[in-house]
Amino acid sequence: DELEVFNSNYENEVLEKLSSINTNIKSSFEELMYSIQSMENKISSNINNLTYITKSSYESLQSSVTSELKSTRKGVGLNNLLTAINTLQSNQINKQTKVLIE
């Protein structure tokens, strides 16, 4: 074909192969994009789950610490009461002993 109006067999084959390659590239690219989107969704979901677990653990820890502090406060209060009673009794004994010594 001297006028270059028609494609040769070779040109047709090359065009067909290039078209096939282009289709494969598009398909692979679409699969890659789907995989990236799927991974993004999984990461986002796991981050949300981790945030929930962290929040839940923090609330549990806060509750536990508060409970322990209340228990400690009660124990300290009881200890202060017993110390006061012990001090009072010691003072009474000391007064009685002083009277006997004099």
Side-chain angles (χ1 to χ4, degrees), residues 18-77:
L18 287 175
S19 178
S20 174
I21 290 172
N22 187 31
T23 303
N24 288 340
I25 289 174
K26 283 182 180 179
S27 175
S28 296
F29 183 72
E30 288 172 358
E31 288 177 21
L32 178 63
M33 291 302 294
Y34 175 78
S35 295
I36 290 172
Q37 185 176 12
S38 176
M39 186 185 315
E40 176 186 347
N41 290 338
K42 287 178 184 176
I43 289 172
S44 178
S45 174
N46 286 329
I47 286 174
N48 288 337
N49 188 28
L50 182 61
T51 301
Y52 171 76
I53 290 171
T54 302
K55 182 179 178 185
S56 175
S57 296
Y58 176 75
E59 289 170 353
S60 176
L61 176 64
Q62 182 181 13
S63 173
S64 177
V65 167
T66 301
S67 174
E68 290 297 320
L69 287 175
K70 285 179 181 178
S71 175
T72 301
R73 185 179 347 168
K74 288 177 184 177
V76 169

Side-chain angles (χ1 to χ4, degrees), residues 71-97:
S71 175
T72 301
R73 185 179 347 168
K74 288 177 184 177
V76 169
L78 179 60
N79 187 34
N80 287 344
L81 177 64
L82 293 175
T83 301
I85 292 171
N86 190 18
T87 303
L88 180 62
Q89 288 175 344
S90 295
N91 284 336
Q92 288 176 349
I93 291 171
N94 284 340
K95 285 180 183 179
Q96 291 171 0
T97 311

